[in-house]
């Protein structure tokens, strides 16, 4: 019985920690700052619980008390399930600092469950000790069992549960499992705990029913994947229906018009027209980052000015769940001209570049080089994953790019000042492999200190042929007019990012302050 309780407790702690990141994501994002706060708070709470549990075991030792600790842990998790949305929303809205808000939210939600779950281990150990001659073996066995449960909880929570169930439903399941452990610890007088267990089941059903109600009447569709908490909702823009996709608080990452899914709805996505303007004969396009698949749909629709019939588009999207959301809600359809690779963009670049470098050709090299490479990848709404902005990543993109091709990369940043250090590091990394690196401002070219979408355009050589301005659409000519006049001196000593030395978090601090 005690082994089973230790195993179950270890499992539930890690499931709670894994799902905790999903509870914070809609309001605080998914950056390393949020994960650091969550892990630190959970570890501190467990430490306090170990101390309190040991003290309590020396004073009052009984299975009834262990049962009450487990029941209390279950009630605290149930409270988190019922109140997490409002609590985290209140914290995020009331505190300007992401660091402080992440820590406070983690404390409010997980300090009590963490302490109570932490109390279980020393209490169970004390109950199991009956002979000092075998105490070492008993303690070792119980902590091994608990750690095995934690391993299971880590994989179960991170790879299975979040893919199939919503965060609130998982919390109800954790509460139910802890109540089951409470019944196992002390089976006598079970009526109150059985009634509470039935109540947890009723609340779980009500939560699921409310989610269906919200989707039907408010148009909010929530999808949990191993990588993202995705929300799709409908709005209007200048009287026109608009569908939005969000994975971070207060921002949306993709948008489409339901009456014309192939039209580009967000201003920065229209700047990918710079690619066809620079390489009008492009036939093979690589898109790193799928999202709502706005740009691939636009390319395949023929509106980019390229030969749509002969076009081949490869999209690398880490999250298969994101692709499924694009299919369900954003009009993504199967197309013989479209190939989708569900993997990390850097792993894709490494593999393809290695094959080309080894002299492979055709299918073995992934069908050769690309005429255009579009990049639109973010860890959160402000942070580019460092490994796609390094010198090595740029070198691999150059290896995959045709000699007259172009890379177009979206970065949210300022061009100058403290808020532009990450951008300048990425720009310097691309300048090491590309002779022609340009930057275009989506919102305004009048201020280099303004945080906005910046489109970095890199070409292998200077002076490559381009479409004459007279033959370009007026909106494309306006985009070209927003080129920022940057020199190497504008980097202000910021070194390029490399795989070995990539101080992205330090460079991103200004953007955290901007939030």
């Amino acid at each position: 019985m005690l082994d089973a309780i230790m195993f179950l407790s270890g499992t539930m702690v890690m499931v709670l920690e894994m799902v905790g990141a999903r509870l914070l994501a809609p309001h605080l994002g998914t950056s390393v700052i949020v994960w650091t706060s969550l892990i630190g708070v959970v570890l501190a709470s467990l430490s306090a619980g170990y101390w309190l549990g040991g003290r309590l075991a020396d004073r009052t030792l009984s299975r009834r008390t262990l049962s009450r600790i487990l029941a209390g842990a279950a009630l605290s998790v149930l409270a988190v399930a019922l109140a997490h949305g409002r609590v985290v929303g209140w914290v995020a809205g009331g505190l300007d600092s992401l660091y402080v808000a992440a820590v406070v939210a983690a404390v409010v939600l997980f300090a009590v469950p963490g302490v109570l779950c932490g109390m279980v281990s020393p209490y169970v150990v004390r109950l199991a000790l009956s002979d000092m001659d075998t105490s070492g073996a008993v303690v070792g066995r119980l902590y091994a069992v608990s750690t095995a449960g934690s391993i299971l909880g880590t994989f179960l929570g991170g790879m299975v549960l979040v893919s199939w169930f919503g965060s609130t439903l998982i919390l109800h399941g954790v509460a139910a499992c802890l109540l089951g452990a409470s019944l196992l610890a002390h089976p006598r007088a079970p009526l109150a705990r059985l009634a509470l267990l039935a109540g947890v089941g009723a609340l779980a059903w009500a939560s699921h029913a409310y989610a269906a109600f919200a989707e039907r009447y408010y148009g909010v569709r929530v999808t949990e994947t191993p990588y993202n908490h995705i929300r799709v909702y409908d709005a209007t823009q200048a009287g026109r229906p608009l569908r939005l996709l969000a994975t971070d608080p207060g921002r949306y990452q993709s948008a489409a018009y339901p009456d014309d899914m192939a039209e580009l709805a967000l201003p920065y996505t229209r700047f990918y027209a710079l690619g066809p303007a620079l390489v009008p004969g492009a036939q093979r396009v690589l898109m790193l980052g799928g999202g709502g698949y706005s740009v691939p749909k636009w390319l395949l629709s023929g509106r980019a000015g390229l030969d749509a019939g002969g076009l081949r588009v490869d999209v690398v999207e880490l999250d298969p769940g994101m692709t499924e959301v694009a299919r369900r809600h954003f009009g993504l359809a199967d197309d013989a001209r479209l190939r989708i690779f569900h993997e990390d963009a850097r792993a894709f670049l490494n593999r393809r570049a290695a094959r080309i470098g080894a002299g492979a050709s055709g299918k073995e090299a992934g069908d050769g080089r690309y005429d255009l490479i579009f990049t639109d990848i973010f860890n959160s709404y402000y942070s580019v994953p460092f490994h796609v902005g390094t010198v090595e990543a740029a070198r691999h993109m150059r290896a995959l790019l045709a000699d007259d091709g172009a890379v177009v990369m979206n970065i949210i940043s300022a061009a100058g000042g403290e808020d532009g250090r990450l951008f300048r590091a990425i720009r310097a990394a691309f300048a090491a492999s590309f002779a022609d690196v340009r930057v275009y401002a989506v919102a305004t070219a009048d201020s280099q200190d303004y945080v906005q979408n910046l489109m970095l355009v890199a070409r292998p050589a200077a002076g490559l042929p381009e479409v004459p301005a007279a033959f370009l659409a007026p909106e494309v000519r306006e985009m070209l007019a927003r080129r920022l006049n940057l020199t190497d001196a504008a980097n202000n000593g910021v070194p390029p990012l490399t795989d070995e030395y990539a101080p992205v978090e330090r460079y991103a601090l200004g953007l955290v302050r901007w939030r």
Side-chain angles (χ1 to χ4, degrees):
M1 179 271 291
L2 295 177
D3 285 23
I5 290 175
M6 285 287 279
F7 183 85
L8 193 59
S9 175
T11 303
M12 292 304 103
V13 166
M14 292 311 301
V15 170
L16 183 64
E17 184 170 353
M18 298 304 294
V19 78
R22 294 307 176 88
L23 303 183
L24 302 180
H27 306 275
L28 299 173
T30 57
S31 69
V32 69
I33 298 167
V34 174
W35 271 106
T36 300
S37 302
L38 177 62
I39 294 171
V41 167
V42 170
L43 289 175
S45 302
L46 290 173
S47 297
Y50 298 150
W51 182 78
L52 289 173
R55 294 291 299 271
L56 182 63
D58 287 340
R59 295 180 180 180
T60 304
L61 189 64
S62 69
R63 291 188 178 187
R64 180 188 293 272
T65 302
L66 175 61
S67 174
R68 288 174 176 173
I69 293 172
L70 290 164
L75 287 173
S76 66
V77 173
L78 183 61
V80 173
L82 295 175
H84 66 83
R86 291 186 177 182
V87 169
V88 184
W90 173 79
V91 171
L95 298 173
D96 293 332
S97 170
L98 177 61
Y99 296 91
V100 176
V103 172
V104 170
V107 168
V108 172
L109 290 184
F110 302 111
V112 174
V115 168
L116 290 171
C117 287
M119 293 176 67
V120 172
S121 296
Y123 206 92
V124 167
V125 168
R126 186 67 179 84
L127 279 172
L129 290 177
S130 58
D131 184 357
M132 292 304 297
D133 292 336
T134 60
S135 60
V138 171
V139 172
R141 185 188 77 249
L142 289 174
Y143 274 98
V145 166
S146 176
T147 302
S150 296
I151 294 170
L152 174 64
T154 300
F155 286 99
L156 185 66
M159 294 186 176
V160 180
L161 295 179
V162 297
S163 300
W164 292 95
F165 305 102
S167 299
T168 302
L169 189 59
I170 295 173
L171 289 175
H172 283 108
V174 171
C177 288
L178 290 172
L179 281 173
S182 175
L183 289 167
L184 183 63
H186 187 68
R188 296 180 181 178
L191 291 181
R193 285 169 290 167
L194 288 174
L196 186 57
L197 189 59
V200 170
L203 288 172
W205 177 86
S207 173
H208 179 73
Y210 178 77
F213 171 83
E215 178 175 339
R216 180 177 178 181
Y217 289 96
Y218 297 105
V220 179
R221 282 83 80 189
V222 177
T223 301
E224 300 272 7
T225 77
Y227 299 97
N228 290 292
H229 176 96
I230 304 171
R231 301 179 307 284
V232 176
Y233 54 97
D234 295 323
T236 57
Q237 184 182 71
R240 188 178 181 185
L242 185 68
R243 182 160 297 166
L244 304 171
L245 181 153
T247 60
D248 277 312
R251 301 274 169 172
Y252 46 86
Q253 285 67 48
S254 290
Y257 296 113
D259 57 1
D260 187 356
M261 288 292 192
E263 182 178 350
L264 295 175
L266 298 181
Y268 89 89
T269 59
R270 298 175 192 140
F271 270 72
Y272 283 106
L274 293 171
L278 295 172
V279 191
Q283 290 187 320
R284 298 199 67 234
V285 181
L286 172 63
M287 182 85 199
L288 302 179
Y293 285 75
S294 301
V295 174
K297 289 182 297 179
W298 168 72
L299 289 167
L300 295 172
S301 71
R303 302 182 189 186
L306 302 174
D307 177 14
L311 201 61
R312 296 294 181 268
V313 179
D314 289 349
V315 179
V316 180
E317 167 57 51
L318 178 64
D319 190 353
M322 184 72 73
T323 301
E324 183 58 31
V325 167
R327 294 186 188 278
R328 287 203 311 265
H329 303 297
F330 288 87
L332 177 64
D334 292 334
D335 194 309
R337 300 167 296 168
L338 174 68
R339 296 190 302 181
I340 299 173
F341 300 86
H342 290 124
E343 61 180 302
D344 188 278
R346 181 60 188 277
F348 178 91
L349 293 174
N350 292 349
R351 186 178 68 256
R352 289 295 180 89
R355 290 176 181 175
I356 289 178
S361 60
K363 290 289 184 182
E364 187 179 359
D367 300 325
R369 290 181 168 87
Y370 295 96
D371 302 305
L372 289 171
I373 298 178
F374 292 158
T375 300
D376 191 14
I377 306 176
F378 288 88
N379 276 332
S380 61
Y381 68 84
Y382 63 82
S383 176
V384 175
F386 83 89
H387 60 291
V388 294
T390 63
V391 169
E392 293 82 0
R395 186 182 304 136
H396 290 157
M397 290 188 204
R398 173 62 188 94
L400 293 179
L401 190 69
D403 291 338
D404 59 349
V407 174
V408 183
M409 182 177 190
N410 173 38
I411 306 171
I412 299 177
S413 177
E418 281 296 312
D419 291 345
R421 297 193 70 195
L422 173 61
F423 159 75
R424 297 198 296 277
I426 293 175
R427 175 176 172 268
F430 275 81
S433 294
F434 293 85
D436 184 2
V437 179
R438 315 175 188 180
V439 181
Y440 298 87
V442 173
T444 177
D446 296 334
S447 173
Q448 294 189 11
D449 294 331
Y450 181 69
V451 176
Q452 59 181 312
N453 289 90
L454 299 176
M455 306 303 289
L456 182 147
V457 178
R459 306 199 71 185
L464 293 174
E466 304 175 15
V467 177
F471 294 96
L472 295 174
E475 57 269 21
V476 178
R477 291 200 297 270
E478 182 182 349
M479 294 174 191
L480 292 171
R482 294 190 183 180
R483 181 177 176 181
L484 296 177
N485 185 21
L486 300 177
T487 63
D488 290 339
N491 252 36
N492 295 328
V494 174
L497 292 183
T498 67
D499 287 349
E500 183 177 357
Y501 178 69
V504 174
E505 290 304 322
R506 179 158 56 90
Y507 290 164
L509 290 183
L511 294 178
V512 173
R513 289 199 303 273
W514 166 68
R515 182 197 180 279

